């Protein structure tokens, strides 16, 4: 069984194994397929008014499936690797260990936000941005530039205390755990705020270009698992059916022809969290 660990608790060999697997998936061209899939889904969600990967109730199961597929690709390279999670309520500074040169590298330089250290620096020759929204061929970040702080634990606890997964109209402005965690009820909060805090590619539709995307979403996914454990008698997912322009419990989630939110409710079929 795959176990996802807090990145702060990874050993040096575990960090290296994760980085090496990510670099190999990138070298094979598979990584860019994930970036393109996310860009495509985000664009459709933004422009069609039919919410699948973002802005609606299937935000959480869609990204759970997205991470499972990526984790499977990593494990084709090294079966011992899993996606670690970044608890941004605790490791919440520019000096946190995940930004070290032996892991994800640090913030970008002031001139153009280019990351200059670590294994994903373009100057190292292993990380060229091929799926983009601009002309930058390098990974860009500017930590704490747009917003000065990451979400505090009190925000997470308030979201976890909510008894309802989601509520009408099941989109931006809805009340409930999903909307609060995603940040769509207040754009600069929770999940959305973390993307903005990292800045650079993380603030765009091609956010998976930054490997921190996977660690961020693993923590978001863990919080969904934590919420379910706290509210075992609540509806695991809403809406259940008959809702226009969002994904109901047993609707398939594009681009997967056979995956529904129902299929994604029990994460322990795929992995556990440590």
């Amino acid at each position: 069984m795959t176990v996802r660990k807090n990145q702060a608790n990874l050993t040096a060999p575990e960090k290296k194994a994760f980085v090496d697997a990510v670099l190999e998936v990138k070298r094979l061209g598979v990584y860019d397929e994930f970036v393109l899939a996310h860009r495509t889904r985000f664009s459709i969600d933004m422009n069609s008014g039919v919410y699948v990967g973002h802005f609606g109730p299937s935000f959480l199961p869609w990204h759970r499936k997205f991470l499972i597929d990526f984790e499977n690709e990593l494990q084709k390279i090294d079966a011992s690797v899993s996606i670690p999670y970044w608890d941004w309520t605790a490791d919440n500074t520019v000096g946190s260990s995940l930004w070290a040169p032996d892991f994800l590298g640090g913030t970008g330089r002031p001139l153009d936000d280019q990351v200059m250290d670590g294994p994903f620096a373009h100057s190292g020759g292993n990380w060229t941005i091929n799926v983009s929204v601009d002309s930058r061929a390098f990974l860009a970040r500017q930590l704490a530039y747009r917003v000065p702080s990451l979400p505090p634990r009190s925000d997470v606890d308030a979201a976890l205390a909510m008894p309802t997964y989601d509520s009408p109209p099941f989109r931006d402005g809805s009340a409930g755990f999903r909307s609060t965690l995603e940040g769509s009820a207040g754009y600069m909060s929770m999940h959305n705020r973390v993307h903005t805090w990292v800045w650079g590619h993380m603030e765009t539709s091609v956010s998976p270009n930054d490997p921190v995307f996977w660690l961020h979403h693993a923590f978001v996914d863990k919080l969904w698992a934590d919420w379910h454990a706290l509210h075992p008698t609540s509806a695991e997912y809403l809406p259940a059916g008959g809702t226009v322009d969002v994904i109901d419990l047993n609707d398939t989630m594009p681009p997967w022809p056979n995956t529904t939110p129902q299929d994604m409710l029990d994460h322990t079929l795929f992995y556990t969290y440590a």
Side-chain angles (χ1 to χ4, degrees):
M1 171 64 71
T2 296
V3 179
R4 294 182 180 173
K5 301 178 181 179
N6 188 326
Q7 63 81 30
N9 298 328
L10 295 181
T11 64
E14 286 172 331
K15 289 182 181 180
K16 185 178 187 303
F18 175 76
V19 167
D20 287 350
V22 170
L23 290 175
E24 182 62 10
V25 171
K26 174 74 167 178
R27 188 190 69 80
L28 293 171
V30 175
Y31 195 100
D32 289 343
E33 295 175 9
F34 281 88
V35 181
L36 179 59
H38 190 273
R39 184 180 73 178
T40 300
R41 184 70 260 157
F42 192 89
S43 177
I44 295 171
D45 290 342
M46 283 287 288
N47 296 303
S48 71
V50 180
Y51 297 144
V52 179
H54 308 85
F55 319 119
S58 52
F59 163 74
L60 289 169
W62 191 94
H63 281 86
R64 176 167 284 177
K65 171 62 173 170
F66 194 56
L67 264 66
I68 288 170
D69 286 357
F70 181 68
E71 195 164 54
N72 286 340
E73 294 299 328
L74 296 178
Q75 291 175 348
K76 290 177 184 178
I77 309 303
D78 184 339
S80 73
V81 169
S82 60
I83 300 174
Y85 63 89
W86 168 31
D87 181 351
W88 26 256
T89 70
D91 297 304
N92 55 8
T93 71
V94 175
S96 295
S97 61
L98 78 163
W99 307 119
D102 68 338
F103 198 25
L104 301 188
T107 195
R109 63 185 182 184
L111 175 67
D112 55 7
D113 299 342
Q114 181 174 175
V115 173
M116 299 302 295
D117 68 337
F120 306 107
H122 180 62
S123 58
N126 295 320
W127 204 258
T128 297
I129 303 301
N130 299 309
V131 181
S132 192
V133 292
D134 54 38
S135 61
R136 294 178 295 187
F138 54 82
L139 176 60
R141 289 185 196 128
Q142 196 60 247
L143 306 180
Y145 164 71
R146 182 66 174 81
V147 291
S149 61
L150 289 161
R153 185 69 206 186
S154 58
D155 285 3
V156 167
D157 291 341
L160 290 174
M162 293 181 169
T164 303
Y165 176 82
D166 211 339
S167 65
F170 300 110
R171 54 188 62 239
D172 283 3
S174 296
F177 171 73
R178 187 279 311 170
S179 182
T180 301
L181 178 58
E182 184 178 1
S184 60
Y187 182 71
M188 295 298 286
S189 63
M190 301 293 280
H191 153 267
N192 288 341
R193 186 179 184 89
V194 177
H195 277 271
T196 303
W197 186 88
V198 176
W199 200 245
H201 281 99
M202 274 286 279
E203 184 60 13
T204 72
S205 62
V206 293
S207 50
N209 273 314
D210 192 332
V212 78
F213 171 93
W214 308 105
L215 283 71
H216 169 36
H217 273 274
F219 186 56
V220 170
D221 185 81
K222 180 182 183 298
L223 293 178
W224 184 23
D226 291 345
W227 177 85
H228 175 64
L230 289 169
H231 304 279
T233 61
S234 296
E236 295 177 293
Y237 182 91
L238 292 171
T243 314
V244 177
D245 293 340
V246 298
I247 302 297
D248 293 320
L249 179 63
N250 291 300
D251 290 344
T252 55
M253 299 185 295
W256 304 287
N258 300 307
T259 302
T260 69
Q262 176 71 62
D263 297 327
M264 292 291 104
L265 295 184
D266 184 3
H267 73 285
T268 64
L269 298 174
F270 309 97
Y271 53 84
T272 58
Y273 284 105

